[in-house]
Amino acid sequence: MPKHINVPEFFRVVVSEDGSLAIGLLLTWMPFGSRTLWDKEFRQMKDMHFKWETQVRELVKKLHAIDIVWGDVNPRNIVIDPELNAWTVDFGGGFIEEFIDRDLAGPKEGD
């Protein structure tokens, strides 16, 4: 099992008062905010793109090793911390056709 994966830590599912409906997930707070690879600042940092691509590929490989499919890989779901390391967020399903074919959305091959 991987020692560390740059994803927010999961605490529990948030349910409605009567317990009949799951309404969200409780995750650790990311104190560095939510600046993503989609931000103009990071898109312009061409010298960092190889590092981030390598980190994201390694993160996906670690997730797949423990049978987790990210499913929504795209620049808006890659957050950059103050040390300029990539974190993966948004495991809520869905996909953006600009980044993945509809036929590949869901299985590991789509990641």
Side-chain angles (χ1 to χ4, degrees), residues 17-79:
E17 232 178 282
D18 66 2
S20 65
L21 181 66
I23 56 176
L25 302 175
L26 184 59
L27 307 171
T28 52
W29 179 56
M30 296 172 69
F32 46 83
S34 59
R35 294 175 36 211
T36 71
L37 283 184
W38 199 250
D39 293 359
K40 184 178 180 180
E41 170 191 3
F42 294 130
R43 286 185 299 185
Q44 292 176 342
M45 295 174 72
K46 304 274 188 214
D47 58 323
M48 296 299 295
H49 289 189
F50 180 76
K51 173 186 176 178
W52 294 329
E53 179 182 349
T54 302
Q55 287 180 330
V56 170
R57 286 182 183 279
E58 187 61 29
L59 288 167
V60 169
K61 192 180 342 178
K62 288 178 180 179
L63 291 170
H64 289 180
I66 56 175
D67 292 324
I68 296 174
V69 175
W70 184 4
D72 197 6
V73 179
N74 74 76
R76 292 181 184 105
N77 290 337
I78 300 168
V79 175

Side-chain angles (χ1 to χ4, degrees), residues 2 7 28 33 36 46 69 75-77 89 95 102-104 111:
V7 297
T28 52
T36 71
K46 304 274 188 214
V69 175
R76 292 181 184 105
N77 290 337
V89 297
F95 68 98
R102 179 177 296 278
D103 296 340
L104 290 177
D111 280 355

